[in-house]
Amino acid sequence: MSTPAWISGDIPLDRPNAARMYDYFLGGHHNFEIDRTAANQASSMWPDMPLVMRVNRAFLRRAVDYISAQGIDQFLDIGSGIPTVGNVHETARRSNPAARVVYVDHEPVAVAHSTAILRDVPGTAIVQVDARQPEQILAHSEVSRLIDPDRPVGVLLVAVLHFVPDDDEARRIVATLRDALPSGSYLAISHGSFEGLPRATHDRVAGLYERTPTPFRGRARAEIERLFDGFDMVEPGVVNIPLWHPEGPDDLMLDRPAECAGFCGMGRKP
Ligand SMILES: C[S@@+](CC[C@H](N)C(=O)[O-])C[C@H]1O[C@@H](n2cnc3c(N)ncnc32)[C@H](O)[C@@H]1O
């Protein structure tokens, strides 16, 4: 498979990729045959999967709205993905046109497409850093340029920490960010879980992600709660994703929230 013209440089297309599968699930076009095949296999194992991706995306919008309503106008979106409808700067700028956003992803297609989209959008940037290197994120020149370290920040780890299989590493990422953030900053997390899914379905879907560069690790709700150590939880705490500040029919799966097999929550640094 050759690399398409809209990407500069070589993209490894020998394996499916979680960012591009997510793009496909959301109806995007920045994915390849190998990604679509894997995504279709995942959907055949778990037919709700495309819906669950939209459930997660709706949480991202509600989380940004909530954080913006607290007066926060600078965001760090880690594991930001391939830009699609409802990007963080678009959502944040509905209430504050001056909001600034640094997007972070390690996947070359996500970075290439974000670069193209954000080129003419002042106050935004995309940086290619691995979330497992939070020190590098915090020290990045684009972060220094766009984020004032003395004012609260909204940090988003939305649908990314389940791609960090090691528990200690996941906790260290959050702790490093927490320690660097000023008081009054907010952290939003959404995270896949095996709770709510038959274990066999979870294991088969997780088996598919073993073929990608980012194996999937569902976590129990209690483990996801522990990621918020050192934060004051925003009500209602860590809940199934549709149940976090639902607003209406766009927040899908409200009638069977546990079946989304994912939890989310938000914390405020005291
Ligand atoms: C499911 S998408 C979520 C995108 C967006 N946050 C959202 O919720 O709509 C997961 C993203 O995390 C990225 N990702 C996975 N592991 C990562 C890592 N170690 N460092 C940075 N990004 C990572 C993937 O490349 C992908 O773009």
Side-chain angles (χ1 to χ4, degrees), residues 19 22 56-57 79-81 105-107 130-132 158-160 163 214:
Y22 184 67
N56 176 70
R57 195 74 190 167
S80 49
D105 208 289
H106 70 160
E107 203 282 316
D130 195 305
R132 289 168 294 188
V158 176
V160 62
F163 295 120
T214 51

Side-chain angles (χ1 to χ4, degrees), residues 74-151:
Q74 43 182 9
F75 291 85
L76 196 51
D77 181 9
I78 302 175
S80 49
I82 294 172
T84 181
V85 175
N87 292 311
V88 172
H89 69 278
E90 293 165 345
T91 303
R93 286 180 178 181
R94 286 198 312 238
S95 53
N96 183 349
R100 296 174 309 288
V101 182
V102 179
Y103 294 95
V104 181
D105 208 289
H106 70 160
E107 203 282 316
V109 171
V111 172
H113 192 45
S114 303
T115 303
I117 288 203
L118 301 175
R119 187 167 290 133
D120 299 322
V121 187
T124 67
I126 169 79
V127 301
Q128 185 167 11
V129 185
D130 195 305
R132 289 168 294 188
Q133 311 291 340
E135 297 86 357
Q136 274 188 34
I137 297 174
L138 293 165
H140 198 283
S141 57
E142 291 290 47
V143 173
S144 316
R145 182 173 72 85
L146 291 174
I147 302 223
D148 177 350
D150 296 326
R151 294 176 48 241

Side-chain angles (χ1 to χ4, degrees), residues 197-221:
L197 264 192
R199 187 74 211 208
T201 307
H202 167 273
D203 290 350
R204 288 176 74 203
V205 173
L208 250 170
Y209 279 86
E210 290 292 330
R211 290 171 21 206
T212 73
T214 51
F216 178 87
R217 158 96 163 85
R219 289 191 168 88
R221 176 187 179 149

